[in-house]
Amino acid sequence: ELKAVREAYLEMAETDLKKPDLKAAVYKLEQAIAILPTIKVLKQLFIVYGDLEEWKPQREIKKKIREMEEAELERQQQQLLEKAVQAEVSKDYKSAMTSYEQALRVLPKRGIFLRMVSLCEKNNKEEMVPRLTSWFNQLEEDYQRQELEPLIKEEMALADEPSPEPEKVRRKKRKRRKAKPVE
């Protein structure tokens, strides 16, 4: 029943967006999210808040989106880790290494890397460890760069914009110019 109610809210929100009655759409999207939050609906709400120029709720929605995306990545990684452990138990080391590698590509974590190294050592493949280490370090560096890139772009965009002068300062400047005698 909740699913039907959620779908009804989403349909009504879609209708409001076509009108465009953005405030009504926001209310209905928030109701749908209260029932079952999804990244797709949160992104839609993020866009609507941007259109309404409501920045604080937009930042909160962005934070929720990021949290949900991270949770999804964690879930994917956990599935890959379970697959790797099962392969390791059944002594299919090649499949286990592949699953560990895929898990690290989702989210590079040292603990998983150490499991991978320990698997290499168990199988007398110590010669692979230096290559794996450099690969993991590069993977970790790329991930950190990817995480920082949006923040750097945002800071650069803010730095390029001249800081707006307060209205009071502009008025004072105009008064000073008018007060000077003209020769």
Side-chain angles (χ1 to χ4, degrees), residues 1-12 32 35-36:
E1 291 178 16
L2 284 176
K3 207 172 195 181
V5 172
R6 181 180 182 276
E7 291 301 317
Y9 273 122
L10 290 174
E11 288 174 15
M12 289 187 292
I35 295 170
L36 176 69

Side-chain angles (χ1 to χ4, degrees), residues 17-30:
L17 287 171
K18 288 178 183 174
K19 285 182 185 175
D21 186 2
L22 298 180
K23 290 194 181 213
V26 164
Y27 174 76
K28 289 167 184 139
L29 288 171
E30 286 176 344

